Amino acid sequence: MKQHLTAKGLYRSILRAHDRHLPPKMRNLGDSYVKSEFRLHRNVTKSDQIQSFMAEWNHYLQQILSTARAQDSIASGTLDADKNKGGTLFSYGKDLPHHIDLSDEQREQLEKLKEEAKKS
């Protein structure tokens, strides 16, 4: 039961972070993806899968919050914007290299994400 409550709290924290920190287009896409992933994994019972799922989404949440803090620090002048290497260090998202090896499952996930992005 504790896992369920933790998952629900993480889910809400992610959606709240999206609402506060992501640009509207990214927010819509991100919300759809998070809702879909949490729905798909709602009935998982293997503890190793649950731990992995929770760890990855916690990492994702920390990335959003870290980027938001950096952007706030740059805006307030407490962080030097020149430290933002190429404009990507303190921004959301990044391009994948063209020569990356993906599993069939990863390709399928990217296609789903691409379709969701087109809908937004």
Side-chain angles (χ1 to χ4, degrees), residues 16-80:
R16 196 171 21 255
H18 282 182
D19 188 49
R20 291 179 181 159
H21 304 297
L22 292 183
K25 284 185 178 183
M26 289 183 79
R27 183 181 321 134
N28 292 337
L29 176 62
D31 286 355
S32 296
Y33 187 71
V34 169
K35 290 173 184 179
S36 171
E37 284 296 302
F38 273 78
R39 196 175 307 116
L40 287 171
H41 291 84
R42 183 177 22 206
N43 297 319
V44 172
T45 56
K46 292 184 179 180
S47 65
D48 60 327
Q49 289 178 336
I50 293 170
Q51 288 174 342
S52 177
F53 180 83
M54 296 294 289
E56 290 301 321
W57 282 106
N58 266 303
H59 179 71
Y60 170 76
L61 176 59
Q62 292 312 310
Q63 285 180 311
I64 290 175
L65 297 176
S66 176
T67 301
R69 281 191 298 272
Q71 288 179 339
D72 289 345
S73 294
I74 289 171
S76 69
T78 57
L79 183 65
D80 186 1

Coordinates of all heavy atoms in Angstrom, one line a residue, residues 16-80:
R16 N 2.5 18.6 -11.1 CA 2.6 20.0 -10.5 C 3.9 20.7 -11.1 O 3.9 21.9 -11.4 CB 2.7 19.9 -9.0 CG 2.5 21.1 -8.3 CD 2.3 21.0 -6.7 NE 2.8 19.8 -6.1 CZ 2.1 18.7 -5.7 NH1 0.8 18.8 -5.8 NH2 2.7 17.7 -5.2
A17 N 5.0 19.9 -11.2 CA 6.2 20.5 -11.8 C 6.0 20.9 -13.2 O 6.5 21.9 -13.7 CB 7.4 19.5 -11.7
H18 N 5.3 20.0 -14.0 CA 5.0 20.4 -15.4 C 4.2 21.7 -15.4 O 4.5 22.6 -16.2 CB 4.1 19.3 -16.0 CG 4.8 18.1 -16.4 ND1 4.2 17.1 -17.1 CD2 6.1 17.7 -16.3 CE1 5.1 16.1 -17.3 NE2 6.3 16.5 -16.9
D19 N 3.2 21.8 -14.6 CA 2.3 23.0 -14.5 C 3.1 24.3 -14.2 O 2.9 25.3 -14.8 CB 1.2 22.8 -13.5 CG 0.2 23.9 -13.6 OD1 -0.3 24.2 -14.7 OD2 -0.2 24.4 -12.5
R20 N 4.0 24.2 -13.3 CA 4.8 25.3 -12.8 C 6.0 25.7 -13.7 O 6.4 26.9 -13.8 CB 5.3 25.1 -11.4 CG 4.2 25.1 -10.4 CD 4.8 24.8 -9.0 NE 3.7 24.8 -8.0 CZ 3.8 24.2 -6.9 NH1 4.9 23.6 -6.5 NH2 2.7 24.2 -6.1
H21 N 6.6 24.7 -14.4 CA 7.9 24.9 -15.0 C 8.0 24.7 -16.5 O 8.9 25.2 -17.1 CB 9.0 24.1 -14.3 CG 9.0 24.3 -12.8 ND1 9.3 25.6 -12.3 CD2 8.8 23.5 -11.8 CE1 9.3 25.5 -10.9 NE2 9.0 24.2 -10.6
L22 N 7.1 23.9 -17.1 CA 7.3 23.6 -18.5 C 6.5 24.6 -19.4 O 5.4 25.0 -19.0 CB 6.8 22.2 -18.8 CG 7.6 21.0 -18.3 CD1 7.0 19.7 -18.7 CD2 9.0 21.1 -18.7
P23 N 7.0 24.9 -20.6 CA 6.3 25.7 -21.6 C 5.0 24.9 -21.9 O 5.0 23.7 -21.9 CB 7.2 25.7 -22.8 CG 8.6 25.3 -22.3 CD 8.3 24.5 -21.1
P24 N 3.9 25.6 -22.3 CA 2.6 25.0 -22.6 C 2.7 23.7 -23.5 O 2.0 22.7 -23.2 CB 1.8 26.1 -23.2 CG 2.4 27.3 -22.6 CD 3.9 27.1 -22.5
K25 N 3.4 23.8 -24.6 CA 3.4 22.7 -25.5 C 4.1 21.5 -24.9 O 3.6 20.3 -25.1 CB 4.1 23.0 -26.9 CG 3.3 23.9 -27.8 CD 4.0 24.1 -29.1 CE 3.1 24.9 -30.0 NZ 3.7 25.1 -31.3
M26 N 5.1 21.7 -24.2 CA 5.8 20.6 -23.5 C 5.0 20.1 -22.4 O 5.0 18.9 -22.1 CB 7.2 21.1 -23.0 CG 8.2 21.3 -24.1 SD 9.8 21.7 -23.5 CE 10.4 20.1 -23.0
R27 N 4.3 21.0 -21.7 CA 3.4 20.6 -20.6 C 2.3 19.6 -21.1 O 2.1 18.6 -20.5 CB 2.8 21.8 -20.0 CG 1.9 21.5 -18.7 CD 1.3 22.7 -18.1 NE 2.2 23.9 -18.2 CZ 1.8 25.1 -18.6 NH1 0.6 25.3 -19.0 NH2 2.7 26.1 -18.6
N28 N 1.7 19.9 -22.2 CA 0.6 19.1 -22.7 C 1.1 17.7 -23.0 O 0.5 16.7 -22.7 CB -0.1 19.7 -23.9 CG -0.9 20.9 -23.5 OD1 -1.3 21.1 -22.4 ND2 -1.1 21.8 -24.5
L29 N 2.2 17.7 -23.7 CA 2.9 16.4 -24.1 C 3.3 15.6 -22.9 O 3.1 14.4 -22.8 CB 4.0 16.7 -25.1 CG 4.9 15.5 -25.5 CD1 4.0 14.5 -26.3 CD2 6.0 15.9 -26.3
G30 N 4.0 16.3 -22.0 CA 4.5 15.7 -20.8 C 3.4 15.1 -19.9 O 3.5 14.0 -19.4
D31 N 2.3 15.9 -19.8 CA 1.2 15.4 -19.0 C 0.6 14.1 -19.6 O 0.3 13.2 -18.9 CB 0.1 16.5 -18.8 CG 0.5 17.6 -17.9 OD1 1.5 17.5 -17.2 OD2 -0.3 18.6 -17.8
S32 N 0.4 14.2 -20.9 CA -0.2 13.0 -21.6 C 0.7 11.8 -21.4 O 0.2 10.7 -21.1 CB -0.4 13.2 -23.0 OG -1.3 14.3 -23.3
Y33 N 2.0 12.0 -21.5 CA 2.9 10.8 -21.4 C 3.0 10.3 -20.0 O 2.9 9.1 -19.8 CB 4.3 11.3 -21.9 CG 5.3 10.1 -22.0 CD1 5.1 9.2 -22.9 CD2 6.3 10.0 -21.0 CE1 6.0 8.1 -23.0 CE2 7.2 8.9 -21.1 CZ 7.0 8.0 -22.1 OH 7.9 6.9 -22.2
V34 N 3.0 11.2 -19.0 CA 3.1 10.7 -17.6 C 1.8 10.0 -17.2 O 1.9 8.9 -16.6 CB 3.3 12.0 -16.7 CG1 3.1 11.6 -15.2 CG2 4.7 12.5 -16.9
K35 N 0.7 10.5 -17.6 CA -0.6 9.9 -17.3 C -0.7 8.5 -18.0 O -1.1 7.5 -17.3 CB -1.8 10.7 -17.8 CG -2.0 12.0 -17.0 CD -3.0 12.9 -17.5 CE -3.1 14.2 -16.7 NZ -4.1 15.1 -17.3
S36 N -0.2 8.4 -19.2 CA -0.2 7.1 -19.9 C 0.7 6.1 -19.2 O 0.3 5.0 -19.0 CB 0.2 7.3 -21.3 OG 0.4 6.1 -22.0
E37 N 1.9 6.5 -18.9 CA 2.9 5.6 -18.3 C 2.4 5.1 -16.9 O 2.6 4.0 -16.6 CB 4.3 6.3 -18.2 CG 5.0 6.4 -19.5 CD 5.3 5.0 -20.0 OE1 6.0 4.2 -19.4 OE2 4.9 4.7 -21.2
F38 N 1.9 6.0 -16.1 CA 1.5 5.6 -14.8 C 0.2 4.7 -14.9 O 0.1 3.8 -14.1 CB 1.2 6.9 -13.9 CG 2.4 7.4 -13.2 CD1 3.3 8.1 -13.8 CD2 2.6 7.1 -11.8 CE1 4.5 8.6 -13.1 CE2 3.7 7.5 -11.1 CZ 4.6 8.3 -11.8
R39 N -0.6 5.0 -15.8 CA -1.8 4.1 -16.1 C -1.3 2.7 -16.5 O -1.9 1.7 -16.0 CB -2.7 4.7 -17.1 CG -4.1 4.2 -17.2 CD -5.0 4.9 -18.1 NE -5.1 6.3 -17.9 CZ -4.6 7.2 -18.8 NH1 -4.1 6.9 -20.0 NH2 -4.7 8.5 -18.6
L40 N -0.4 2.7 -17.4 CA 0.1 1.4 -17.9 C 0.8 0.6 -16.8 O 0.8 -0.7 -16.8 CB 1.1 1.6 -19.0 CG 0.5 2.0 -20.4 CD1 1.6 2.4 -21.3 CD2 -0.3 0.9 -21.0
H41 N 1.4 1.2 -15.8 CA 2.1 0.5 -14.8 C 1.4 0.4 -13.5 O 1.9 0.0 -12.5 CB 3.5 1.2 -14.6 CG 4.4 1.1 -15.7 ND1 4.4 1.9 -16.8 CD2 5.4 0.2 -15.9 CE1 5.3 1.5 -17.7 NE2 5.9 0.4 -17.2
R42 N 0.1 0.7 -13.5 CA -0.7 0.7 -12.3 C -0.8 -0.7 -11.6 O -0.8 -0.8 -10.4 CB -2.1 1.2 -12.6 CG -3.0 1.3 -11.5 CD -4.4 1.9 -11.8 NE -4.7 1.8 -13.2 CZ -5.6 2.5 -13.9 NH1 -6.1 3.5 -13.2 NH2 -5.8 2.3 -15.1
N43 N -0.8 -1.7 -12.4 CA -1.0 -3.0 -11.9 C 0.2 -3.9 -11.8 O 0.2 -5.1 -11.6 CB -2.1 -3.8 -12.7 CG -3.4 -3.1 -12.7 OD1 -3.8 -2.7 -11.6 ND2 -4.1 -3.0 -13.8
V44 N 1.4 -3.2 -11.9 CA 2.7 -4.0 -11.8 C 2.8 -4.4 -10.4 O 2.6 -3.6 -9.4 CB 3.9 -3.1 -12.3 CG1 5.2 -3.7 -12.0 CG2 3.7 -2.8 -13.7
T45 N 3.3 -5.7 -10.2 CA 3.4 -6.2 -8.8 C 4.8 -6.6 -8.5 O 5.2 -6.8 -7.3 CB 2.5 -7.4 -8.6 OG1 2.8 -8.4 -9.6 CG2 1.0 -7.0 -8.7
K46 N 5.7 -6.7 -9.5 CA 7.1 -7.1 -9.2 C 7.8 -5.9 -8.6 O 7.9 -4.8 -9.2 CB 7.8 -7.6 -10.5 CG 7.2 -8.9 -11.0 CD 8.0 -9.3 -12.2 CE 7.5 -10.6 -12.8 NZ 8.2 -11.1 -13.9
S47 N 8.4 -6.2 -7.4 CA 9.0 -5.0 -6.7 C 10.2 -4.4 -7.5 O 10.4 -3.2 -7.4 CB 9.5 -5.5 -5.3 OG 10.5 -6.5 -5.4
D48 N 11.0 -5.2 -8.2 CA 12.1 -4.7 -8.9 C 11.6 -3.7 -10.1 O 12.2 -2.7 -10.3 CB 13.0 -5.8 -9.5 CG 12.4 -6.7 -10.4 OD1 11.1 -7.0 -10.3 OD2 13.0 -7.2 -11.4
Q49 N 10.5 -4.1 -10.7 CA 10.0 -3.2 -11.7 C 9.4 -1.9 -11.1 O 9.6 -0.9 -11.7 CB 8.9 -4.0 -12.5 CG 9.4 -5.0 -13.4 CD 8.2 -5.8 -14.1 OE1 7.1 -5.8 -13.6 NE2 8.6 -6.4 -15.2
I50 N 8.8 -2.1 -10.0 CA 8.2 -0.9 -9.3 C 9.3 0.0 -8.9 O 9.3 1.2 -9.1 CB 7.4 -1.3 -8.1 CG1 6.1 -2.1 -8.5 CG2 7.0 -0.1 -7.2 CD1 5.3 -2.7 -7.4
Q51 N 10.4 -0.5 -8.3 CA 11.5 0.3 -7.9 C 12.2 1.0 -9.0 O 12.5 2.2 -8.9 CB 12.5 -0.6 -7.1 CG 12.1 -1.0 -5.8 CD 13.0 -2.0 -5.1 OE1 13.9 -2.6 -5.8 NE2 12.9 -2.1 -3.8
S52 N 12.4 0.3 -10.1 CA 13.0 0.9 -11.3 C 12.1 2.0 -11.9 O 12.6 3.1 -12.2 CB 13.2 -0.2 -12.4 OG 13.7 0.4 -13.6
F53 N 10.8 1.8 -12.0 CA 9.8 2.7 -12.5 C 9.9 4.0 -11.6 O 10.0 5.1 -12.1 CB 8.4 2.1 -12.5 CG 7.4 3.0 -13.0 CD1 7.1 3.2 -14.3 CD2 6.6 3.8 -12.1 CE1 6.1 4.0 -14.8 CE2 5.6 4.6 -12.5 CZ 5.3 4.7 -13.9
M54 N 9.8 3.8 -10.3 CA 9.8 4.9 -9.4 C 11.1 5.7 -9.4 O 11.1 6.9 -9.4 CB 9.5 4.5 -8.0 CG 8.2 3.8 -7.8 SD 6.8 5.0 -8.0 CE 7.0 6.0 -6.5
A55 N 12.2 5.0 -9.5 CA 13.6 5.6 -9.6 C 13.7 6.5 -10.8 O 14.2 7.6 -10.7 CB 14.7 4.6 -9.5
E56 N 13.3 6.0 -12.0 CA 13.4 6.8 -13.2 C 12.5 8.0 -13.2 O 12.9 9.1 -13.6 CB 13.1 5.9 -14.4 CG 14.1 4.8 -14.7 CD 15.5 5.4 -14.9 OE1 15.6 6.4 -15.6 OE2 16.4 4.8 -14.5
W57 N 11.3 7.9 -12.7 CA 10.4 9.0 -12.6 C 10.8 10.0 -11.6 O 10.7 11.2 -11.8 CB 8.9 8.6 -12.4 CG 8.3 8.1 -13.7 CD1 8.1 6.8 -14.0 CD2 8.0 8.9 -14.9 NE1 7.6 6.7 -15.3 CE2 7.5 8.0 -15.9 CE3 8.0 10.2 -15.2 CZ2 7.1 8.4 -17.1 CZ3 7.6 10.7 -16.4 CH2 7.1 9.8 -17.4
N58 N 11.4 9.6 -10.5 CA 12.0 10.5 -9.5 C 13.2 11.3 -10.1 O 13.3 12.5 -9.9 CB 12.5 9.7 -8.3 CG 11.5 9.7 -7.2 OD1 11.0 10.7 -6.7 ND2 11.1 8.5 -6.8
H59 N 14.0 10.6 -10.9 CA 15.1 11.2 -11.6 C 14.6 12.3 -12.6 O 15.1 13.4 -12.6 CB 15.9 10.2 -12.3 CG 17.1 10.7 -13.1 ND1 18.2 11.3 -12.5 CD2 17.3 10.9 -14.4 CE1 19.0 11.7 -13.4 NE2 18.5 11.5 -14.6
Y60 N 13.5 11.9 -13.3 CA 12.9 12.9 -14.2 C 12.4 14.1 -13.5 O 12.7 15.3 -13.9 CB 11.7 12.2 -15.0 CG 10.9 13.1 -15.8 CD1 11.3 13.6 -17.0 CD2 9.6 13.5 -15.3 CE1 10.5 14.4 -17.8 CE2 8.8 14.3 -16.1 CZ 9.2 14.8 -17.3 OH 8.5 15.7 -18.0
L61 N 11.7 13.9 -12.4 CA 11.2 15.0 -11.6 C 12.4 15.9 -11.1 O 12.3 17.2 -11.2 CB 10.4 14.5 -10.4 CG 9.9 15.6 -9.4 CD1 9.0 16.6 -10.1 CD2 9.2 14.9 -8.3
Q62 N 13.4 15.3 -10.6 CA 14.6 16.1 -10.2 C 15.2 16.9 -11.3 O 15.7 18.0 -11.1 CB 15.6 15.2 -9.5 CG 15.1 14.6 -8.2 CD 14.5 15.6 -7.3 OE1 15.1 16.6 -7.0 NE2 13.3 15.3 -6.8
Q63 N 15.2 16.3 -12.5 CA 15.8 17.1 -13.7 C 14.9 18.3 -14.0 O 15.5 19.4 -14.2 CB 15.8 16.2 -14.9 CG 16.9 15.2 -14.9 CD 16.8 14.3 -16.2 OE1 15.8 13.8 -16.6 NE2 18.0 14.2 -16.9
I64 N 13.6 18.2 -13.9 CA 12.8 19.3 -14.1 C 13.0 20.4 -13.1 O 13.2 21.6 -13.4 CB 11.3 18.9 -14.1 CG1 11.0 18.1 -15.4 CG2 10.4 20.1 -14.1 CD1 9.6 17.5 -15.4
L65 N 13.0 20.0 -11.8 CA 13.2 20.9 -10.7 C 14.6 21.6 -10.7 O 14.7 22.8 -10.5 CB 13.0 20.2 -9.4 CG 11.5 19.7 -9.2 CD1 11.4 18.9 -7.9 CD2 10.5 20.8 -9.3
S66 N 15.6 20.8 -11.1 CA 16.9 21.4 -11.2 C 17.0 22.4 -12.3 O 17.6 23.5 -12.1 CB 17.9 20.2 -11.4 OG 19.2 20.7 -11.6
T67 N 16.5 22.1 -13.4 CA 16.5 23.0 -14.6 C 15.7 24.3 -14.2 O 16.1 25.4 -14.5 CB 15.9 22.4 -15.8 OG1 16.7 21.2 -16.1 CG2 15.9 23.3 -17.0
A68 N 14.6 24.1 -13.5 CA 13.8 25.3 -13.1 C 14.5 26.2 -12.2 O 14.5 27.4 -12.3 CB 12.5 24.8 -12.5
R69 N 15.2 25.6 -11.2 CA 16.0 26.4 -10.2 C 17.1 27.1 -11.0 O 17.4 28.3 -10.7 CB 16.6 25.5 -9.2 CG 15.6 25.1 -8.1 CD 16.3 24.4 -6.9 NE 17.0 23.2 -7.3 CZ 16.4 22.0 -7.3 NH1 15.2 21.8 -7.0 NH2 17.1 20.9 -7.6
A70 N 17.8 26.5 -11.9 CA 18.9 27.1 -12.7 C 18.3 28.3 -13.5 O 18.9 29.4 -13.5 CB 19.5 26.1 -13.6
Q71 N 17.2 28.1 -14.1 CA 16.6 29.2 -14.9 C 16.1 30.4 -14.0 O 16.3 31.5 -14.4 CB 15.3 28.7 -15.7 CG 15.7 27.8 -16.8 CD 14.5 27.3 -17.6 OE1 13.4 27.2 -17.1 NE2 14.8 26.8 -18.8
D72 N 15.6 30.0 -12.8 CA 15.3 31.1 -11.9 C 16.5 31.9 -11.4 O 16.5 33.1 -11.2 CB 14.5 30.5 -10.6 CG 13.1 30.0 -11.0 OD1 12.6 30.4 -12.1 OD2 12.6 29.3 -10.2
S73 N 17.6 31.1 -11.2 CA 18.8 31.8 -10.7 C 19.4 32.7 -11.8 O 19.9 33.7 -11.5 CB 19.9 30.7 -10.3 OG 19.4 30.0 -9.2
I74 N 19.3 32.2 -13.0 CA 19.8 33.1 -14.2 C 19.0 34.3 -14.3 O 19.5 35.4 -14.4 CB 19.8 32.3 -15.5 CG1 20.9 31.2 -15.5 CG2 20.0 33.2 -16.7 CD1 20.8 30.2 -16.6
A75 N 17.6 34.1 -14.1 CA 16.7 35.3 -14.3 C 17.0 36.3 -13.1 O 16.9 37.5 -13.4 CB 15.3 34.8 -14.2
S76 N 17.3 35.8 -11.9 CA 17.5 36.7 -10.8 C 19.0 37.3 -10.8 O 19.3 38.1 -10.0 CB 17.2 36.0 -9.5 OG 18.2 35.0 -9.2
G77 N 19.8 36.8 -11.7 CA 21.2 37.2 -11.7 C 22.2 36.6 -10.8 O 23.3 36.9 -10.7
T78 N 21.7 35.5 -10.1 CA 22.6 34.8 -9.1 C 23.4 33.7 -9.8 O 24.3 33.2 -9.2 CB 21.8 34.2 -7.9 OG1 20.8 33.4 -8.4 CG2 21.2 35.3 -7.1
L79 N 23.1 33.4 -11.0 CA 23.9 32.4 -11.8 C 24.2 33.1 -13.1 O 23.4 33.7 -13.8 CB 23.0 31.2 -12.0 CG 23.7 30.0 -12.7 CD1 24.9 29.5 -11.9 CD2 22.7 28.9 -12.9
D80 N 25.5 32.9 -13.5 CA 26.0 33.4 -14.8 C 25.4 32.7 -15.9 O 25.6 31.5 -16.1 CB 27.5 33.4 -14.8 CG 28.1 34.1 -15.9 OD1 27.4 34.6 -16.8 OD2 29.4 34.1 -16.0

